Amino acid sequence: MALPSAWAARQRRTTLLAAWQQDQEQRIGLLSADASQWSVQRSLVVPTRAHGLWAEAGGSVLAVARRPGDWLLRWRPGQAKAQWHWIDGDRRFNGHVITSADGATLWTTETDLDTAQGRLGVRDAASLDKTGEWATHGMDPHQLLALPQAVGGLPAGTLMVANGGIPTLPETGRSKRELGRMDASLVALHPASGGLLGQWRLDDPHLSIRHLAWDPISGTLGIALQAEHPDQAAHQAAPVLAVWDGRTLRAAAGQPALAGYGGDICALPQTAGGGFAVSCPRVNRLALFDARGAWRGAIEHVEAYALASDREQWWLASSRGQVGLLHGGTDGAEPSRSRAPDRDTLVLQIENHWVLMAG
């Protein structure tokens, strides 16, 4: 499978919002990168691992703690202080936050610690305070996004939430328990009322629905999956992608064994004709699919993890060690990667996600 050479045709300096561990400190910050080199522009120390990140229109950024998390922050890069919010004692953040189109509202995925049920926190964007919450109609809600256009009868702005479906309780933290009760689902919620507009499940109940990406070319939602099968053979062979077209949710077909773990997901650039890339760090590959979920091939990359893309390019980071920037590449060819200014002293352990900042 040959990838278009146009993927690597235009390599410009880019700024990415990322989270990482450096010298035993957890940080969020901005990385500047081009085809040859990357560097840290600015960073902020945070108390625990950050997970979900969001770039706001005015240049400020949002970050939320890795699940089960207790903090949310807004930071304007260049300023020493951040605006912090600590969640109530009977709730925990589940790692992701987005803003409404008008910038007035934030939505955060959360868990009710008393019931283990998922909640979508509705927050005033200026203060970060909660003004309400809605049921996600499942457990373990993770990433969410707002549909940029009408799909399958659902209006633009509909909130799509990935219910991972894994039961957890406060005393077990991130430990997985009672996986026989797993109930993963993709739900559509009304952005004004939180009303349930639709809910979809995969045929295989052991596939946890985790991360989301919108492909504007096909008008399809891609979902990165993480397998929880008790049978190791089934676990290793499990699909790492599902696709949703507004009416049906189906798992990808034809892929090789990828250890059943999709770390992050992004839509492929327009120059690639659309589709999705899913990082598979446990097998050191970047898995590529078309918008229908058909297998296209893979690119080797050690501990591939965080992904981001726009209409022309895409970027990939390793979960450990040096950051790698992938601007393109062809089957069998080494994709271009940026290197740190000082490989001996600047080593970052990049978190699961990073976000392109507006240029």
Side-chain angles (χ1 to χ4, degrees):
M1 187 272 308
L3 304 181
S5 59
W7 284 15
R10 185 183 177 193
Q11 298 174 353
R12 63 187 184 275
R13 179 155 289 276
T14 303
T15 300
L16 295 115
L17 168 64
W20 66 84
Q21 178 177 314
Q22 180 182 347
D23 298 330
Q24 304 306 310
E25 288 183 327
Q26 300 295 334
R27 293 177 176 267
I28 65 167
L30 300 183
L31 304 179
S32 178
D34 60 19
S36 61
Q37 194 172 73
W38 64 267
S39 61
V40 176
Q41 289 184 325
R42 302 181 185 277
S43 68
L44 176 75
V45 176
V46 293
T48 58
R49 286 177 64 177
H51 187 77
L53 306 163
W54 187 265
E56 295 187 292
S60 57
V61 302
L62 299 170
V64 64
R66 179 177 181 247
R67 68 180 176 93
D70 58 3
W71 59 263
L72 167 70
L73 71 83
R74 172 180 286 114
W75 176 54
R76 183 171 290 278
Q79 294 184 359
K81 294 183 178 180
Q83 178 185 359
W84 292 87
H85 177 86
W86 300 88
I87 201 167
D88 291 339
D90 61 350
R91 298 288 186 271
R92 286 295 181 270
F93 288 119
N94 280 12
H96 284 274
V97 57
I98 65 171
T99 64
S100 59
D102 62 6
T105 302
L106 305 183
W107 293 290
T108 51
T109 50
E110 304 176 12
T111 290
D112 180 333
L113 297 185
D114 292 331
T115 66
Q117 292 300 302
R119 296 290 182 262
L120 199 64
V122 184
R123 298 178 176 275
D124 176 74
S127 67
L128 306 183
D129 291 336
K130 184 181 283 188
T131 60
E133 67 175 24
W134 304 327
T136 69
H137 304 275
M139 296 177 291
D140 186 30
H142 200 56
Q143 192 167 12
L144 72 161
L145 59 73
L147 290 178
Q149 65 185 57
V151 183
L154 297 174
T158 296
L159 298 175
M160 306 301 299
V161 182
N163 282 318
I166 299 174
T168 58
L169 288 174
E171 63 268 22
T172 62
R174 290 177 59 84
S175 298
K176 300 167 184 176
R177 59 189 305 276
E178 299 184 31
L179 290 177
R181 293 176 49 226
M182 269 189 68
D183 183 21
S185 65
L186 178 71
V187 296
L189 303 180
H190 194 286
S193 67
L196 181 66
L197 301 179
Q199 187 166 24
W200 299 263
R201 293 175 173 86
L202 293 166
D203 292 336
D204 185 342
H206 289 104
L207 294 174
S208 182
I209 294 173
R210 309 305 302 176
H211 293 122
L212 309 174
W214 174 257
D215 176 19
I217 297 173
S218 64
T220 302
L221 186 67
I223 302 104
L225 306 173
Q226 295 176 7
E228 300 293 345
H229 298 80
D231 178 78
Q232 281 302 303
H235 185 109
Q236 292 294 315
V240 298
L241 174 78
V243 292
W244 175 83
D245 61 6
R247 294 178 175 82
T248 60
L249 176 67
R250 61 185 184 278
Q255 72 165 60
L258 295 170
Y261 187 88
D264 197 9
I265 183 171
C266 74
L268 294 177
Q270 186 178 34
T271 48
F276 301 98
V278 178
S279 57
C280 301
R282 296 181 181 177
V283 292
N284 301 316
R285 291 185 183 179
L286 183 66
L288 308 175
F289 301 86
D290 70 15
R292 299 166 298 172
W295 175 252
R296 294 180 60 183
I299 293 175
E300 298 290 332
H301 191 97
V302 175
E303 294 185 335
Y305 228 122
L307 293 168
S309 64
D310 62 15
R311 294 176 65 86
E312 298 176 340
Q313 298 187 152
W314 54 340
W315 295 263
L316 165 67
S318 295
S319 59
R320 296 180 182 272
Q322 299 295 331
V323 173
L325 270 294
L326 187 150
H327 308 278
T330 58
D331 189 31
E334 182 75 6
S336 61
R337 293 174 171 86
S338 304
R339 58 185 180 82
D342 185 343
R343 287 180 177 271
D344 295 328
T345 61
L346 189 56
V347 178
L348 309 184
Q349 182 176 328
I350 298 291
E351 258 291 342
N352 300 50
H353 310 291
W354 58 4
V355 177
L356 289 172
M357 297 292 288

